[in-house]
Amino acid sequence: MIRALLSHDLPRSRILAALLLICLAGLAGAPFLFPGTQALNVAAKILVFILLVASYDLLLGYTGIVSFAHTMFVGIGAYGIAIASTRLGSDWGSLAIGFVAALALSAVLALAVGLASLRVKAIFFAMITLAVASAFMTLASQLSDITGGEDGLNFQLPEALRPSTEFLEEPLWGVSVDGRLLTYYLLFVAVALLIALLLRIVNSPFGRVLQAIRENEFRAEAIGYRPVVYRTGANIIAALLACCGGALLALWLRYTGPETAMSMEIMLDLLLIVVIGGMGTVYGAVIGSVLFIVAQNYLQALLKWAGAAVDGVPVLATLVSPDRWLLWLGLLFVLAVYHFPGGIVGRLRLAAWTRGRTKA
Amino acid sequence: MKLDPRPLALLAALMLLALPLTGSASTWLNLTLAGLAMGLIVFVIASGLTLVFGLMDVLNFGHGVFIALGAFMATTVLAAMAPWAASPDAATNLTALAAACLAGMAIAAAVGVVFERVLVRPVYGQHLKQILITMGGMIIGEELIKASWGPALIPLPMPETLRGIFLIGAFGADVAVEKFRVLAMLIGLVVLVTLLLVLNRTKIGLLIRAGVQDREMVEALGYRIRRLFVGVFVAGAALAGLGGVLWGLVQQGVTPQIGGQVNLLLFIVIIIGGLGSTVGCLVGALLVGLVANYVGFLAPKAALFSNIGLMVAILLWRPQGLYPVGAK
């Protein structure tokens, strides 16, 4: 049963399996285990990022192409929900319309970008997506009549998802069962289903062809698989999943703006998480997102503490300030690309594999 | 060398087409000069990037770091030489500017050496890792710049005598031309001519051009193309530093994000020009500069997309760019 659910792509390392279980349990029980608005926001952000990183990994890790337009599709999903909710009223019907429209737009754009640039070279795709994504972000902040410009859009959710909606008179285990809790579990179930779907995709024959093209494009083409078709397919799937992630993000935040949904910082975060978690593994997305988001929210406190410790040392003090945490992540990123191309998951799997060999 | 004339004709056609649209001849001349100046600055920055790509198939996503370094170095130098920059004497002003340019180039070149050695060299021939590593280098560089100069915008005032405008009588009307744009064009032209002379009239230039065409053949003839590549990389970084100084002066201020912003423009330019082609890079940069200025005047809202629109149009015409580089 579990095998089928994971599409026979098991963790293959006891430590990894244990970590995944901890993440799963932590996220499933987050509202009860870590009470408080801040903790729940972190947990919801982790959920959305797991989906975004995993879908980005389909491109970067499995297909071997670098896209900088992933947040563009996140933005399309988020704006789809936001615009539909503000224009058509806050009910389920308008959410569905906005979501479907966003999915359609994502698919068309991904197809166009893919066909235009995936024929040539991987580098070409990276540059074109960078240009298209930045143009799209400008578009979102300029069309203020529709998108709310730099201010973004605040909107109401359907009745059942509003924080003011109480389902039970009494709090359950100290947590009030309200629309917020329902929204969280909506996110949880949606992300879990989509991750299972993604596992299914990467372990299908289609996923194998993607990996073959990544390893040796020429050879894959010689066997009879057209790289441009498969790469464009992967690009569309990743775009659709990113669009779903954006929609979920909008549902949770009840707000969509250019900074929250499609900024370049989010794109960099995705890149960092994929590499640190482990390219070409869906599980890397889970582990990486949990570590990264927790670190993002709590590492800055650690740096503040370290900064106080080295206060007075001239150069070190500026480098260890909490504002500079991206510097340390960047270093970690470069080291990870050099020395642990498999990231955390690759490392754990390798360790388990060598241990199995030495025992036998 | 046979030069395909059609992209040049496109450039001329664009200028002619803009003449009736802008209405008056003096506005047109003004916009054209501004566009050419911007194009030449962009060319100075982008030339190193495109050569590095042509020579070693390395695309440096961290090229923006050199631009930002040059610009920030210029703020420090000009602040240190404030009396020189503020004096009403043109010669002292130019000395200060030259010092700023040289310092910007020097630091960009020095960091370029380190960048090449530490980040780029270990990942030759692996495109995916190159993109990731140079992107990481960009993040680290930007953060280090923030750590040394602070995250806020630093104003970069123009030296005293370079402010203001020349009035030129043309088409029966006075045309105002910013003095600094003229200087930037001159610097751009000097770089262009030097680059063309080095590439076309020296042994090293011959080797570089041969390396862009067919790297393995040059290596087979006994030349160490890697050493050549390091030289090109460092020279490209220095040019980016110079371009950063000029860009910062045009913008009259520098933020740590300047590198990332200009990088985007550079990619568009070298894609338009054809990856690896120097002439293509020049034509692409001029096209981008002109279109940005014309569209900015005619329809300011559309200016944000003019570059993307230009790129799409060019790629529909020539999918490999204006001047595709030989068999790869």
Side-chain angles (χ1 to χ4, degrees), chain A residues 60 66 68 123-124 127-128 130-131 134-135 138-139 142 268 271 323-324 326-327 330-331 333-334 337-338, chain B residues 53 59 61 118-119 122 127-129 132-133 135-136 140 143 146-147 264 267 271 275 301 304-305 308 315:
Chain A
L60 186 63
V66 182
F68 288 101
I123 266 180
F124 220 68
M127 292 193 288
I128 293 213
L130 189 62
S134 75
T138 327
L139 188 70
Q142 288 300 310
L268 285 182
L271 204 59
D323 298 334
R324 291 289 83 74
L326 204 57
L327 170 69
L331 282 174
F333 172 78
V334 168
V337 175
Y338 279 151
Chain B
F53 181 84
L59 188 67
F61 273 74
V118 178
L119 291 176
H127 271 165
L128 188 68
K129 281 193 174 181
L132 296 178
I133 284 283
M135 202 75 204
I140 296 175
E143 288 297 308
K146 280 186 199 163
L264 209 66
F267 285 153
I271 289 178
L275 292 169
K301 278 250 167 188
L304 297 158
F305 307 101
I308 303 280
L315 288 183

